[in-house]
Amino acid sequence: MLVTQQPQLRNFWYPVCRAGELESGPLRFVLLGSPLVLWADGWGGVFALADRCCHRTARLSQGQVVEGALQCPYHGWQFDGEGRCVRVPQICGQIPESYRVPAYAAQVAYGYVWVALEEPLTGIPTIAEASDPAFRLMHQLCEPWRCSGLRLMENSFDMAHLAFVHCNSFGDAEQPIPPRLETEVYEYGLRVRAWVPVVNPPEQQQNLQMADPKTIQSNDMVWYMPFGRKLTLTYGNGIVRIICTFATPIDDATSQVIQFCLSNDTEAEVPEADITAWERAIAAEDRGILETTDYDTPLDLAQEQHMASDKPGILMRRQLAQLFSRSC
Ligand code: FES
Ligand code: FE
């Protein structure tokens, strides 16, 4: 699936960068093939504009924020968050209305800047635990991977890869038959539940405060169309780890992978650095295989797949195909 050929994908919110990154100045980000400049006015507002000045097309992302406006590096024209030109140093008097650049919806959630290129069909996913004081939030990934968002989403719901891709971490190589899945389809998503036998190696025994060499994970997975996932892992001792992963489409072949984790234990019990090191190591295992996969196979490939563990991926492809059959 070529994401840049599907205009409906522009009608969703995507996380693009850490909100704190904008404190040092404007940032360029390509979303669905569209170059953007992201910037903060210093007074709490975050904005996304086309990264092309309407004067002589310089990159606004190489400019700077001056008194809450974005200043072009070429001739100093300044723009507000709606893309209106509010200052032209070379002229006095009225600035023509036509002096403007396209602006896009932007806001901050969970510590990240989110952008929608067109009117969003759904809101930013609600992760209730992020505002629950019983949980702490840990930032784990914000980096480009050379893989498509759909491949990453399929992988996130695919229990058949655990015994192979994760055989050096939590996957049980002795259990290649994946667990039974319970699936539920939503209008813009999917929920999948499974009880997964996993290996519990020494570093994870510390992280989970469980001495057993093997354990059972309760997996409750929600897919947020098109490229978001919330994975809630619950263990027998009451520890809950929620791993939220988003594959924001940069272009057809590349995704900005953003991941944060919520956990109901404390820093004194398990250091954040240890949890993050474990989750990043697992993500690196997935990345190693995902970056070998393609990005341009048509959506209907799923019809050729028959394993029960492929069902979530098939349902995702079916829902995306329905979305793409609608007019924008
Ligand atoms: Fe931006 Fe001239 S190109 S002010
Ligand atoms: Fe994996």
Side-chain angles (χ1 to χ4, degrees):
M1 178 179 77
L2 298 175
V3 290
T4 60
Q5 306 300 307
Q6 303 295 348
Q8 293 88 346
L9 290 176
R10 297 169 65 87
N11 296 84
F12 291 91
W13 287 103
Y14 298 99
V16 292
C17 68
R18 292 283 301 275
E21 289 181 71
L22 302 189
E23 285 168 13
S24 52
L27 191 72
R28 179 176 165 91
F29 187 87
V30 176
L31 177 59
L32 284 163
S34 299
L36 307 177
V37 51
L38 311 167
W39 58 284
D41 62 7
W43 302 315
V46 296
F47 307 100
L49 303 178
D51 193 16
R52 174 167 284 228
C53 182
C54 59
H55 178 220
R56 287 243 294 275
T57 74
R59 282 189 183 183
L60 292 169
S61 56
Q62 291 179 8
Q64 58 181 318
V65 176
V66 177
E67 293 174 1
L70 178 62
Q71 179 171 286
C72 178
Y74 201 169
H75 309 94
W77 291 22
Q78 292 180 3
F79 300 87
D80 68 11
E82 293 176 4
R84 272 189 305 254
C85 183
V86 293
R87 182 164 187 260
V88 177
Q90 296 80 16
I91 62 172
C92 304
Q94 194 81 7
I95 297 170
E97 263 296 306
S98 61
Y99 287 19
R100 60 187 309 148
V101 293
Y104 306 97
Q107 60 175 280
V108 173
Y110 315 121
Y112 297 87
V113 177
W114 295 65
V115 174
L117 295 176
E118 304 286 349
E119 185 66 30
L121 291 167
T122 63
I124 291 171
T126 302
I127 314 286
E129 294 84 355
S131 50
D132 180 342
F135 285 82
R136 53 183 166 143
L137 190 148
M138 296 167 263
H139 300 287
Q140 296 185 331
L141 294 171
C142 187
E143 61 191 26
W145 288 14
R146 195 78 181 154
C147 76
S148 81
L150 180 57
R151 288 292 185 209
L152 196 149
M153 288 298 110
E154 288 175 325
N155 175 73
S156 296
F157 288 76
D158 163 23
M159 296 292 156
H161 81 284
L162 308 186
F164 297 91
V165 173
H166 300 299
C167 61
N168 293 318
S169 54
F170 70 99
D172 189 346
E174 293 169 9
Q175 303 246 24
I177 296 179
R180 205 176 69 82
L181 305 177
E182 292 175 7
T183 55
E184 203 178 331
V185 174
Y186 301 144
E187 188 182 6
Y188 290 109
L190 185 65
R191 185 176 184 186
V192 178
R193 275 171 283 193
W195 281 260
V196 186
V198 293
V199 171
N200 194 33
E203 61 267 46
Q204 183 70 332
Q205 287 175 22
Q206 282 203 331
N207 285 348
L208 294 176
Q209 301 177 66
M210 287 173 64
D212 318 68
K214 291 193 177 187
T215 187
I216 302 282
Q217 270 179 356
S218 157
N219 280 223
D220 188 342
M221 299 168 276
V222 178
W223 172 54
Y224 303 107
M225 185 190 278
F227 307 126
R229 177 214 61 175
K230 176 188 181 192
L231 165 62
T232 303
L233 301 172
T234 306
Y235 295 90
N237 63 358
I239 284 192
V240 179
R241 294 267 159 74
I242 300 168
I243 302 163
C244 302
T245 309
F246 296 86
T248 295
I250 292 173
D251 54 31
D252 289 321
T254 320
S255 303
Q256 176 84 342
V257 177
I258 284 177
Q259 180 169 294
F260 55 91
C261 175
L262 295 142
S263 185
N264 67 346
D265 49 10
T266 65
E267 181 69 19
E269 288 166 336
V270 186
E272 173 178 343
D274 292 351
I275 296 174
T276 295
W278 171 257
E279 300 298 349
R280 285 181 62 89
I282 290 171
E285 291 172 342
D286 286 313
R287 182 178 185 173
I289 202 78
L290 285 169
E291 289 193 333
T292 69
T293 61
D294 72 352
Y295 58 87
D296 55 356
T297 303
L299 269 184
D300 60 5
L301 166 81
Q303 290 165 8
E304 297 160 17
Q305 302 184 14
H306 301 290
M307 297 196 311
S309 53
D310 286 332
K311 185 178 175 188
I314 293 170
L315 293 172
M316 284 175 198
R317 285 166 177 272
R318 200 173 287 160
Q319 284 200 58
L320 286 168
Q322 281 168 3
L323 174 77
F324 298 156
S325 68
R326 295 191 217 160
S327 58
C328 296

